[in-house]
């Protein structure tokens, strides 16, 4: 029976593993095996359990209301793992409704909607080494390149069916690891009824979707990712839930998980209901949900969806009359308090987890600690940078010189937060076109533009994220009902770009100056941000150690600049370390060969300078050649 203290914490909003108290748990009572059920339905007149074991008739399996807290409890003998069930709820208005268990650990495959009795634990994890090393790592000062993907459309079988979690483990992991990614980020894998919601409208927050297999199958996928050195990030949606009848909406016949006020509960743009962050039980439900995925599935972090819509009452919410808080402001004060509490709880138990905010406004201190007045995330998507730079890349060359600020403005705020630079699915769907098809110019120029764009991405401060298919220049925008266009790898331009992208990531990962001080101003220095007419920018990325730096030049024009002078910080000899215009990548082959000598000629506010060749629509990186010291030999 759920204990009194547990119930107290749940109603206080501080029971952070409430899934251990509520839901369906296989256990023994008076030496008899069965299942213990517990559900929160404070306004229900009666709650019964129905399922395939009682022909979906609940009169013989009622639950007992424990007290005024609204938790209903009961034990049914002889039930076993795999049995189907729902809660039959007698509402205050006299209706009889059936609801899936909010805490169900497994669910039927759509279009069926029953919950499935499932025993937690039981999987023998093999990732102890990964878990141990994760505690020692400092991701702020490490390379991070995230592969965002939709499990249902990465690849499909010839008959159109989905790959299972285990089949994904067999093919996906080796592919992603070979390119050089550090993490895989899955679009939401919680149970959802409609494929085309992509998982963002959820019915089963504690159920990994059965579309691709069982909970153990998904654990195997995560386990294999960890064995291959890949972290796993989950898209998580604590803002809202779908209105489907078996789900959370009007759960006990009244607004329970959603606010009572209609304008606060409804999110018309998405046809969903908002969570009520003012209810402590909802706070317990959501924070416990995050803890559940970390504990039961060994997830390495979350990309928290729609944080802007949590912070602001009217963001992406076209109500007839704007909603305000108690003080007349636009902020959702209860949601902000929830976000801070969430991050405090998560980091108190999992200090090395990634909590990444999809936040699109200029709300301050998103990645600052709550003790300093921040929201407490450790990363934020830099959606402003993505929007600016993609807008620039779609312009014809003649226009670009008039919009040079779109390339450089991000450095005005690049170190105000810990940023992830995202080219996500949001930019590649609904007529927005794929990355390569956004690029201006003819066919060759599109690929060259994409090469320089990705080069700029990898050398710009911040962690990186790209949506699946971008690594081989998928030409069509994302088609969520079809697999990626893998046949494009039969064509030279796409094969060469795939080759380029792999080399680019490995170059990024092997050069500490490109990530060691990602979130510190001292890790970046402009050489020349002002050459708008030439459409060229140049800058220095610095590591922590003295002399650990590289010089980056990006040319967003199709002009080859020979004898192009740039300022450099020190005397010596430089060499070209990476060039996106190499012929092996599909480029024109305008490269810098041999030694590049530095002259004692101040330029670009630097004490020295050198002349280089800047390739058309190209990114080139220069590093200082180490001094070859002669060894001295002693006689005898």
């Amino acid at each position: 029976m759920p204990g009194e203290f547990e119930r107290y914490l749940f109603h206080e909003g501080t029971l952070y593993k409430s899934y251990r108290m509520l839901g369906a748990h296989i256990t023994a009572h008076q030496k008899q095996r069965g299942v213990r059920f517990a559900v929160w339905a404070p306004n229900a007149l009666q709650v019964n359990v129905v399922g395939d074991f009682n022909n979906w008739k609940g009169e013989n399996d009622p639950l007992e209301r424990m007290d005024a807290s609204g938790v209903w409890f009961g034990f049914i003998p002889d039930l076993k793992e795999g049995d189907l069930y729902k809660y039959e709820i007698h509402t205050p208005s006299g209706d009889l409704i059936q609801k899936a268990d909010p805490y169900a650990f497994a669910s039927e495959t759509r279009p069926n909607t029953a919950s499935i009795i499932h025993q937690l634990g039981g999987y023998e994890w093999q990732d102890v080494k990964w878990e141990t090393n994760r505690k020692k790592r400092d991701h702020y000062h490490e390379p991070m390149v995230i592969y965002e993907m939709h499990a249902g459309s990465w690849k499909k079988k010839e008959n159109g069916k989905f790959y299972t979690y285990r089949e994904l483990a067999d093919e996906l992991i080796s592919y992603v690891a070979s390119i050089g990614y550090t993490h895989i980020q899955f679009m939401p894998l919680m149970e959802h009824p409609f494929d085309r919601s992509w998982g963002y409208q959820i019915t089963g927050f504690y159920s990994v979707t059965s579309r691709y297999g069982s909970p153990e199958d998904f654990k195997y996928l995560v386990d294999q990712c960890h064995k291959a050195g890949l972290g796993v990030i989950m898209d998580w949606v604590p803002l809202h839930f779908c209105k489907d009848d078996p789900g959370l909406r009007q759960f006990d016949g009244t607004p329970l998980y959603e606010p009572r006020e209609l304008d606060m509960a409804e999110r018309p743009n998405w046809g969903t209901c908002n969570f009520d962050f003012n209810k402590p039980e909802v706070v317990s439900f959501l924070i416990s949900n995050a803890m559940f995925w970390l504990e039961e599935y060994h997830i390495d972090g979350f990309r928290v969806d729609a944080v802007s819509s949590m912070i602001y009452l009217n963001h992406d919410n076209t109500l007839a009359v704007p909603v305000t808080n108690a003080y007349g402001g636009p902020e959702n004060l209860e949601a902000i308090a929830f976000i801070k509490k969430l991050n405090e709880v998560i980091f108190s138990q999992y200090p090395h987890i990634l909590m990444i905010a999809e936040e699109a406004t200029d709300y301050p201190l998103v990645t600052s600690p709550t003790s300093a007045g921040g929201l407490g995330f450790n990363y934020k998507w830099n959606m402003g940078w993505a929007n600016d730079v993609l807008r620039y890349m779609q312009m014809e060359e003649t226009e670009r010189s008039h919009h040079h600020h779109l390339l450089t403005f991000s450095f005005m705020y690049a170190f105000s937060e810990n940023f992830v630079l995202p080219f996500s699915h949001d930019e590649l769907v609904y007529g927005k076109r794929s990355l390569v098809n956004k690029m201006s110019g003819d066919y060759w120029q599109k690929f060259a533009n994409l090469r320089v764009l990705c080069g700029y991405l990898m050398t710009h401060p911040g962690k990186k994220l790209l949506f699946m298919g971008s690594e081989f220049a998928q030409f069509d925008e994302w088609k969520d009902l079809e697999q990626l266009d893998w046949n494009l790898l039969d064509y030279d331009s796409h094969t060469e770009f795939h080759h380029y992208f792999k080399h680019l990531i490995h170059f990024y990962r092997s050069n500490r100056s490109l990530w060691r001080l990602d979130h510190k101003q001292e890790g970046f220095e402009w050489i020349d941000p002002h050459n708008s007419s030439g459409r060229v920018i140049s800058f220095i990325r610095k590591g922590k150690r003295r002399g650990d730096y590289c010089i980056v030049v990006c040319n967003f024009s199709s002009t080859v600049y020979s004898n192009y002078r740039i300022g450099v910080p020190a005397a010596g000899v430089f060499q070209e370390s990476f060039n996106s215009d190499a012929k092996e990548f599909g480029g024109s082959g305008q490269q810098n060969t041999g030694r590049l000598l530095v002259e004692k000629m101040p330029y670009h506010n630097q004490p020295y300078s050198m002349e280089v060749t800047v390739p058309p629509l190209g990114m080139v990186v220069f590093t200082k050649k180490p001094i070859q010291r002669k060894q001295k030999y002693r006689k005898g």
Side-chain angles (χ1 to χ4, degrees), residues 213-230:
S214 69
E216 285 72 26
D217 294 334
F218 181 61
K219 289 178 181 180
Y220 175 82
L221 173 57
V222 175
D223 211 3
Q224 296 305 306
C225 283
H226 289 170
K227 283 185 177 181
L230 290 168

Side-chain angles (χ1 to χ4, degrees), residues 150-277:
H150 177 250
S153 58
W154 184 71
K155 278 189 178 181
K156 287 193 174 182
K157 300 175 183 178
E158 290 185 3
N159 60 6
K161 289 187 176 181
F162 298 130
Y163 270 51
T164 67
Y165 294 121
R166 289 182 180 267
E167 289 166 339
L168 283 172
D170 291 340
E171 290 198 31
L172 170 70
I173 294 171
S174 59
Y175 172 77
V176 172
S178 70
I179 296 174
Y181 286 96
T182 61
H183 294 75
I184 298 176
Q185 179 176 304
F186 290 99
M187 293 168 70
L189 291 176
M190 294 77 175
E191 195 58 77
H192 53 283
F194 183 45
D195 287 359
R196 304 210 71 183
S197 79
W198 311 331
Y200 290 99
Q201 297 185 13
I202 296 169
T203 49
F205 281 80
Y206 287 80
S207 297
V208 67
T209 180
S210 54
R211 285 169 174 78
Y212 317 118
S214 69
E216 285 72 26
D217 294 334
F218 181 61
K219 289 178 181 180
Y220 175 82
L221 173 57
V222 175
D223 211 3
Q224 296 305 306
C225 283
H226 289 170
K227 283 185 177 181
L230 290 168
V232 178
I233 301 168
M234 287 278 282
D235 230 328
W236 188 54
V237 191
L239 169 68
H240 61 150
F241 52 89
C242 69
K243 292 183 176 181
D244 291 50
D245 288 341
L248 296 178
R249 181 173 179 262
Q250 298 272 326
F251 183 79
D252 61 0
T254 69
L256 190 62
Y257 287 86
E258 69 271 33
R260 288 191 172 276
E261 303 83 3
L262 189 61
D263 56 355
M264 292 289 288
E266 293 288 326
R267 187 158 289 275
N269 282 22
W270 299 334
T272 57
C273 286
N274 296 314
F275 276 110
D276 186 353
F277 300 106

Side-chain angles (χ1 to χ4, degrees), residues 611-623:
E611 290 186 341
V612 299
T613 297
V614 181
L617 297 173
M619 182 276 294
V620 60
V621 180
F622 301 99
T623 54

Side-chain angles (χ1 to χ4, degrees), residues 41-69:
N43 302 301
L45 301 180
Q46 177 58 47
V47 179
N48 303 323
V49 181
V50 297
D52 53 358
F53 50 86
N54 62 13
N55 294 317
W56 302 95
K57 295 179 181 179
E59 59 268 18
N60 293 326
D61 292 302
L63 298 183
E64 177 184 350
R65 187 184 184 109
M66 300 190 67
D67 52 33
S69 67

